[in-house]
Every structure is written in C-alpha cells, then in structure tokens.
Amino acid sequence: MLLALDTAVQFLKGVGPRRAEAFQRMGIATVEDLLYHIPHRYLDATTVTPIAKAVVGREVTLVGRVVSKAVVPTRRGLRIFRAVIRDSSGIVECAWPGQAYLDRIIKQGQLLLVTGPVKHYHGRQVVPKEQVVLADAGDEEREDDMVRGMVLPVYPATEGLSHRQIRRLISDHLDQMLKCVEDTLPECVSSTIDVLPLRQALLALHRPASPGSAEAGRRRLAFDELFDLQLVVARARYLATTAQKGTRFEIQKKLTTALKDALPFELTAGQRKAIREISADMTSSDRMHRLLMGDVGTGKTVVALFAMLLAMENDYQAVFMAPTELLAEQHASTVGSLLAPLGIVPELLVGRLSQGEKQAIRERIADGTARIIVGTHTLIQERTDFWRLGLAVIDEQHRFGVEQRAALIEKGEVPDVLLLSATPIPRTLALTLYGDLDISTLRQKPVSHRPVKTGVRSSNDRAAIYGFLQEQCRLGRQAFVVYPVIEESERVDLKAATTMAAELEKRLAPLSVGLVHGKMKGEERDAVMRRFRDGNLHVLVATTVIEVGIDVPNATVMLIEHPERFGLAQLHQLRGRVGRGSAEGHCILLTDDYSATKRLKQFARTSDGFRIAELDLKERGIGELAGVRQSGGFNLRYADLATDDDLVNAARRAALGIIQSDPDLSSQAHTKLRARIGRRYARGMELFRVG
Ligand code: ADP
Ligand code: MG
C-alpha cells in the first residue's frame, strides 16, 4: 500500500484497531504523527555500566537478564518488588518499594534495563527510577545489538502499546514513511542555518548511528517548531506595529518634566532608559507595542506614568488596566499620590461602584473630562467609549497570549500599548512568548529596597517560626502563610490549607487569621484581601492566589509551606510580596524534603528575578514557568529554551525577514510554510486571515 503523511496509523501493517486506539490516546492518528513521535532516550553500550562496576552512591544504567524475582512484605506493611539481574560481569539486586504490581509485568528470563541509584543494603542494591523490558526470555537478538554498539531508541509508550512494539512498528515502516516526507523549509532559510535536511533528521532520530547524531536530528525538528512560532509572532508584531499607524506624539516636556521634578526620589538608570525607549516609540509613526518587564518593586508604575503623561500632554487620554479590582485600586492610589503635586486626579473604574457612578465616569471618559483612567481589564474593554484614547497600559499581561493581545489591539480605535510584567523571564523565552513585542527591562531595584531575608527551615523549627511570627505581629506587622494547592490533589490540599488556617488561629491566638484560596468567589476573596490590606487581619493563609500582585507594605513575613512543590520563579513572586515597606522582609521556606534543600538554598542566596527565571527554566522547562502556562499554549516538544539560544535567534531572524517581504505568506514560495503553521498553531494562524 502507498503511504501518505495523512494515512491513518491503523492502515499500517501490524496496527490493528486495538493498537490504533492506544496510539490515539498518545495523540498519534496519522503516519506523520508517528514519524514525529521520537524516542525520549537512547541506549547504547557506552551509557550502560557493567553490573560488576556499579558502585554504591552512583546513578547507573544496567542491563541484565532477570534470574529471580519476588514480592517481599516489610514490617511497616509496605510491599517491595525485588528482582536479581545478571550480565556477563556479575549480578545485582534491584528493589522497587511499594510497587508489587511489577511482579505481573517483569518476568524471569527477560532482558531488563534499569536506571537509578546504587544504595547500600545488605551489599549493593539498585533502586530503579525507570525500568524497561528490552527483550523477552529466549530473545537474544537485542542483547547482541547492544553488544555490537547499536543505539537502541526507547519510545514513550502507553498501556496496551509497549515501547518495544512501537520500536518494531516504526523500524518496519520507517523507510516507507520517510519517502512521504517533504522539506518545507524555504531555500533562503535552510541555506543560512546549520541543521539537517528533514528526512535525514528524522532518520537520525529513529535510527541513529550514535546518540550524538540523534541530537542533530532533534535540532532540526526544534528549529522547525521555533521557526513556525516565530512566524506567528512576527506576524503579530507586524499587525501590531506597522499594519495600522500609531499616533505620533510630541515631546512637550510639560507634565512629564513636572512629574520628574515632583518625584520624591531619583529615577534609576534602568527607569530612565525605559522611559527613553518608550518615548522613542511614542514619538514614531509606528504604533508602540512594548513590554516593560521587571521584578516587583523595580518601579514599573512610575515608568508607565511618564508614558501616560506624555499622551496626556499631547491632548490624549491614557488608560491603565489591571487584572483585578484590588490591583486597580492599588494602582489608582499609587498613581493618584504621584500625580497629586500636579493637580491631576485619576478616574477609577471598578465593578463595585454603583451603576450611576459608573455611568457618570463613562460620560467623563466619553467627553474627555477624564484623561487618566485606571480600571479593570474587563470594565474598560466592555462598552467604554473614549474621547481620544492615546495609550493603554496593561498590567500583569502574562495572562494574555499572543492572539489575545492581537485581538485587543484590533478592536476599534488603536492606541499605543505598553504591557507590564512582574515575571522576568530569560531572553530566549521572551522572544518566544513575547516576540510580537519590543521589550524594555528593569533589572535594578531602587536603592532603598533591601533584599528579603530568606531562610530554609524544617518542621523542627516550627515553634520558633510561630514565635517569630507572633513577635512581628506584636510589633504591628503582618504575615502571609502560603500553602500550595496543586491540581492533582486539589481536594486534599484545600482541606490541608483550611485545617492549617484553623490551627494557626488557635496557636497564634489572639492574633486574627484569614484564609483565601482559588475556589473562593472573586468578591469573597477580595473582601478578605481588603481586610488584610487595611490591617484588620494579622495573618493571611493563602494558596498561591496572592501571587499576582497585592501590595501590603506592612507585611514583613512570608512563610511558605512545602516550598519544594513550587517553581523557583513562583517562590520569587511570593517572596516579592513582603519587604515592600520600610521594615525588612523575611521569607521562610519550611520543608522536610531534604532532596530539595540544595535548590532552595540556592534560591535563598539569589535575589535577581532574571537569574532565578533562568535557573527555573533549566530545572523545569518552559511549561512550568510562572504564568507561562496560561499564556498562549505554545507547547514546544523538541526545542529546549534553556539550551537552544542559537536556534531561537536564527528562527527569529529568518521569520522577521520573511514576514517583512511577504507579510501574509501569500507568495508561491511560502504556501507550504503557511499550511504547516496552520497545522501546528491553529490559533496563531488566525492572525494570517486576510481581510
Ligand atoms: P513595581 O510596579 O515594579 O512592582 P512600583 O512601581 O510599584 O514597582 O514601585 C515600587 C515602590 O518603589 C513604589 O513605592 C515606588 O514609589 C518606589 N519607587 C519607584 N521608583 C523609585 C526610585 N527610583 N527610587 C526610589 N523609590 C522608587
Ligand atoms: Mg506594580
């Protein structure tokens, strides 16, 4: 039968309805999907340690035949699966605590691969983190391959479809499948970058001559997905900045200079640079579409205010949008006090106002009486008519993805846009998620701010920690206690957080304790937060919902339970909630997980948000970085942003070049490219609809 990329896997020889269903569960429906289902690891003779050489204290990969096995109960009621494996150099025992079910899967005589630490327990014992059955009893072929130095691909597998079955299927059909592959990379791009042709890359991934050659294959797939993504963001950037003209503001030096003179402090060098970059955008005829990125407390609001005043002195309105009502109020009060010496009062548009009040504000916005407006995203986006809107400042944009940003600016009259983010991220990631934006960064904090003192403690210190908390509250300070709630165990976690709040109330009496969590209604949560902000609660127990920005200058303690369950960037966000006033801030990480202590101590020593984001990216990859998951769902399968800088840069350059010459990819040379983007980033493709 003749294969095509869109042939259903079910029609491949060796795949029946049952296997097709298992493939479906892994998201594999077609021949193309199967080709792009690449091994997650490779085995070869060089990565395997002879059993005799497995030393206590090391992580090893061993391959051996199972010579005996048993399920052994322990005194504490745990059941351990044990197997002894043998290779030509020796034998060793492997133990899987609590995994008695393996007894049904692993059989005597099978060739088994295990990876894990070698422990000392009646001699050597391996405690595998991963195990793979390489061959059944009597099947000697694979063992020979390994010995001859062949690289064996190991595929992600699922119930009803083992990695061996997948390997066999791919291996049987690979040559035929590769014949359908067509390279869509335009010649002008492939000639400038150092990656393999597509067919060669896929071959190297599925049938590598060495593990190194598989890596070369991965780089090609990584480049393709980054390139497609960069085409989408380059297109968004084109639409945002050039497709429609922006306002050409003029530097008037009236209000902006007055503000500079009235500020109770000197601007930092970073703030001055950001203001220059913003002014340059605003005075050009292209529309500004810029992101201002900086840790909490680096002074983004002041910078944004300069931009707003530049709009205002050009006889335009400027609006400042926040994700929640509480944050909008906070911004209105900051902006209000900074503007007070200039005699300007910002309008605040939030949901809790009466219909009549809201109506009155909307009228002032429509007739131009209101020039500086602060409010929530939703209120401002819905039914608000502006007299002359020149600038929109959007706070906490990480909730927006590329397409949402594009939708926002496509609506109606188009102002310049300045987005603020308190989640610093590494450059490679910024180019990926925010490639449609120009970026200004604030790295330096105003001198008056001391770093938050951070310590790692264990439950043994609990009494002392509570003592410290009480002491701080007696001094008139306030404290946050954060408890993680992760999706998989939400019910149990929420119960734990609730129990914790009740227990703290008892232990810390007469201090008052409040609780906020993600399952509460918005108003309910805002009400508790308000009580805390206004000083009517001493301690606030919270799941991570406080992450996004409440400012309580009087709070000095951030106690985080189970910090090992958070990413470093998230911990950093939490830590930024304290020490915002004049008193020193304290962040206490309370954990009994000793395996996490090292990274937590490293975190404790570091106060630079960018540095922390880099560590986090290396540790956990793109998907887990704070706020990134919600922001557009770009799921990179092959690229690794922690290491693929060169590919990101090359993809970026190539994409900008192509979009510049052919903004909607309508030329003959780009039709295949267009089709591929559509398949990969269906939502991003919306941006290419013409008309
Ligand atoms: P961000 O929004 O980046 O978290 P803010 O703009 O809210 O930070 O600023 C944090 C605090 O620092 C505010 O109280 C602000 O008035 C103050 N601040 C801003 N810039 C400076 C500066 N250059 N020197 C001293 N204090 C500053
Ligand atoms: Mg802020």
Side-chain angles (χ1 to χ4, degrees):
M1 157 192 168
L2 210 58
L3 287 186
L5 286 179
D6 59 1
T7 305
V9 277
Q10 185 166 353
F11 299 120
L12 289 177
K13 188 159 172 287
V15 184
R18 245 200 47 224
R19 284 187 179 174
E21 201 192 297
F23 270 128
Q24 198 74 49
R25 275 203 306 276
M26 286 194 292
I28 299 169
T30 64
V31 162
E32 183 174 32
D33 298 336
L34 188 59
L35 260 177
Y36 281 85
H37 184 66
I38 66 168
H40 60 115
R41 58 199 242 107
Y42 297 90
L43 303 172
D44 74 332
T46 58
T47 59
V48 176
T49 307
I51 287 176
K53 296 234 168 84
V55 182
V56 173
R58 285 282 181 78
E59 288 269 339
V60 293
T61 298
L62 308 174
V63 173
R65 293 272 170 191
V66 179
V67 292
S68 69
K69 59 166 196 164
V71 172
V72 197
T74 65
R75 249 176 287 155
R76 297 212 328 251
L78 195 67
R79 279 151 52 86
I80 302 182
F81 176 66
R82 283 194 195 152
V84 174
I85 60 169
R86 181 211 302 276
D87 70 6
S88 55
S89 74
I91 65 169
V92 74
E93 184 181 77
C94 306
W96 289 262
Q99 298 185 57
Y101 70 92
L102 285 174
D103 193 38
R104 291 195 304 275
I105 294 164
I106 293 171
K107 303 199 170 67
Q108 198 156 335
Q110 278 179 332
L111 187 65
L112 194 64
L113 169 128
V114 294
T115 298
V118 186
K119 308 232 160 144
H120 182 77
Y121 181 82
H122 301 307
R124 296 178 306 163
Q125 188 181 62
V126 178
V127 184
K129 289 179 186 158
E130 189 188 14
Q131 64 279 337
V132 171
V133 177
L134 295 177
D136 285 325
D139 173 5
E140 308 297 333
E141 170 201 2
R142 287 297 170 202
E143 207 165 359
D144 293 348
D145 279 346
M146 295 282 299
V147 175
R148 283 204 309 272
M150 177 185 157
V151 184
L152 214 55
V154 182
Y155 290 93
T158 185
E159 205 186 321
L161 197 56
S162 74
H163 75 99
R164 275 187 299 160
Q165 290 163 331
I166 296 174
R167 181 164 64 217
R168 166 62 42 85
L169 282 168
I170 291 181
S171 169
D172 287 352
H173 297 287
L174 187 61
D175 297 312
Q176 251 209 315
M177 293 198 295
L178 285 176
K179 283 197 191 120
C180 322
V181 170
E182 200 182 358
D183 212 324
T184 45
L185 214 53
E187 162 64 26
C188 64
V189 175
S190 56
S191 61
T192 60
I193 48 153
D194 180 26
V195 292
L196 292 179
L198 187 54
R199 209 176 283 179
Q200 236 169 292
L202 287 165
L203 183 66
L205 281 161
H206 291 293
R207 205 178 279 158
S210 70
S213 56
E215 166 60 12
R218 181 200 67 83
R219 279 174 56 84
R220 168 58 206 259
L221 301 201
F223 179 81
D224 282 9
E225 79 184 338
L226 290 168
F227 181 50
D228 289 353
L229 183 51
Q230 285 299 330
L231 282 168
V232 172
V233 294
R235 168 70 174 176
R237 184 173 189 274
Y238 167 84
L239 289 177
T241 60
T242 6
Q244 283 162 286
K245 288 282 164 234
T247 313
R248 189 175 235 147
F249 297 97
E250 278 168 29
I251 306 273
Q252 308 275 359
K253 297 210 167 171
K254 283 187 293 203
L255 299 172
T256 44
T257 306
L259 175 65
K260 207 176 290 169
D261 294 341
L263 282 181
F265 46 73
E266 289 283 313
L267 293 171
T268 64
Q271 285 173 317
R272 285 199 303 270
K273 178 156 181 273
I275 291 170
R276 275 199 307 277
E277 289 165 343
I278 290 167
S279 305
D281 286 354
M282 290 180 71
T283 51
S284 108
S285 61
D286 284 354
R287 181 170 30 173
M288 172 163 74
H289 194 49
R290 183 171 286 276
L291 172 71
L292 176 61
M293 181 160 73
D295 248 334
V296 277
T298 47
K300 297 182 292 295
T301 318
V302 186
V303 172
L305 198 50
F306 274 95
M308 294 172 82
L309 291 183
L310 179 56
M312 184 171 162
E313 65 189 11
N314 277 274
D315 221 12
Y316 278 92
Q317 294 169 301
V319 58
F320 196 139
M321 295 155 55
T324 71
E325 210 164 309
L326 216 60
L327 283 169
E329 285 169 20
Q330 195 171 292
H331 288 312
S333 108
T334 319
V335 168
S337 60
L338 288 166
L339 288 182
L342 282 65
I344 302 170
V345 182
E347 286 288 356
L348 175 65
L349 182 58
V350 287
R352 75 180 153 81
L353 301 175
S354 71
Q355 282 307 326
E357 286 171 310
K358 275 187 268 195
Q359 194 47 42
I361 294 174
R362 287 217 157 92
E363 272 160 28
R364 290 201 290 279
I365 293 174
D367 69 15
T369 326
R371 294 298 172 88
I372 301 283
I373 302 121
V374 184
T376 52
H377 294 152
T378 38
L379 271 188
I380 288 171
Q381 276 172 263
E382 288 164 12
R383 321 169 270 122
T384 302
D385 290 323
F386 287 88
W387 165 71
R388 258 159 78 90
L389 181 59
L391 171 73
V393 177
I394 306 174
D395 189 20
E396 293 299 348
Q397 44 63 48
H398 67 252
R399 297 163 171 222
F400 288 151
V402 159
E403 309 92 328
Q404 284 146 300
R405 287 196 291 270
L408 184 79
I409 54 174
E410 255 166 354
K411 267 176 83 169
E413 226 185 302
V414 209
D416 280 15
V417 174
L418 178 65
L419 296 146
L420 307 185
S421 169
T423 315
I425 53 173
R427 216 186 89 84
T428 48
L429 185 54
L431 285 183
T432 306
L433 291 171
Y434 306 127
D436 56 326
L437 300 157
D438 294 304
I439 300 179
S440 296
T441 46
L442 297 179
R443 266 197 105 125
Q444 176 196 17
K445 283 194 193 171
V447 274
S448 55
H449 284 266
R450 272 173 297 180
V452 174
K453 216 174 183 175
T454 308
V456 184
R457 300 285 182 272
S458 74
S459 329
N460 296 336
D461 309 311
R462 197 173 277 279
I465 294 168
Y466 288 161
F468 177 70
L469 224 131
Q470 277 169 314
E471 183 193 305
Q472 288 283 309
C473 291
R474 265 199 301 274
L475 289 171
R477 310 283 175 218
Q478 290 164 283
F480 290 104
V481 178
V482 170
Y483 201 91
V485 170
I486 51 175
E487 276 157 43
E488 306 98 75
S489 58
E490 188 165 37
R491 290 233 316 268
V492 183
D493 282 347
L494 263 185
K495 190 158 164 274
T498 315
T499 316
M500 163 129 258
E503 200 182 298
L504 271 177
E505 178 117 57
K506 252 187 262 156
R507 283 190 69 161
L508 301 180
L511 300 181
S512 53
V513 178
L515 170 70
V516 289
H517 58 75
K519 278 275 131 76
M520 284 164 94
K521 284 209 200 77
E523 312 105 64
E524 238 183 306
R525 203 164 65 205
D526 271 8
V528 181
M529 292 276 222
R530 264 200 196 93
R531 284 176 59 206
F532 187 69
R533 181 196 64 189
D534 299 340
N536 298 326
L537 282 174
H538 294 106
V539 178
L540 185 67
V541 178
T543 59
T544 48
V545 289
I546 52 163
E547 202 181 324
V548 276
I550 173 102
D551 191 4
V552 184
N554 192 44
T556 53
V557 186
M558 169 63 65
L559 167 60
I560 304 177
E561 301 266 354
H562 292 296
E564 72 280 0
R565 286 162 68 175
F566 292 101
L568 299 183
Q570 241 179 331
L571 289 176
H572 185 62
Q573 284 279 320
L574 290 169
R575 177 167 64 179
R577 298 290 122 228
V578 295
R580 294 175 62 93
S582 52
E584 185 173 37
H586 302 268
C587 176
I588 307 165
L589 307 172
L590 208 170
T591 182
D592 289 327
D593 180 350
Y594 292 102
S595 65
T597 325
K598 192 169 154 226
R599 63 187 269 276
L600 293 175
K601 285 204 165 137
Q602 190 175 18
F603 167 78
R605 282 194 303 271
T606 320
S607 58
D608 178 355
F610 283 92
R611 179 81 199 104
I612 287 167
E614 275 162 18
L615 290 174
D616 206 25
L617 181 63
K618 283 219 176 76
E619 227 177 55
R620 309 195 306 164
I622 174 178
E624 298 291 325
L625 261 176
V628 169
R629 217 177 340 185
Q630 308 99 296
S631 65
F634 292 127
N635 191 4
L636 295 176
R637 279 178 72 185
Y638 310 105
D640 179 355
L641 292 180
T643 58
D644 291 340
D645 296 39
D646 61 326
L647 294 180
V648 173
N649 290 327
R652 171 95 179 150
R653 262 197 316 276
L656 287 174
I658 287 183
I659 293 296
Q660 198 166 33
S661 67
D662 181 15
D664 39 22
L665 297 181
S666 53
S667 85
Q668 188 69 39
H670 298 145
T671 38
K672 284 185 189 135
L673 212 53
R674 210 184 135 96
R676 193 178 70 179
I677 296 174
R679 285 202 301 277
R680 205 193 307 259
Y681 301 116
R683 289 198 299 153
M685 196 60 204
E686 297 277 296
L687 300 175
F688 285 91
R689 265 198 329 231
V690 209

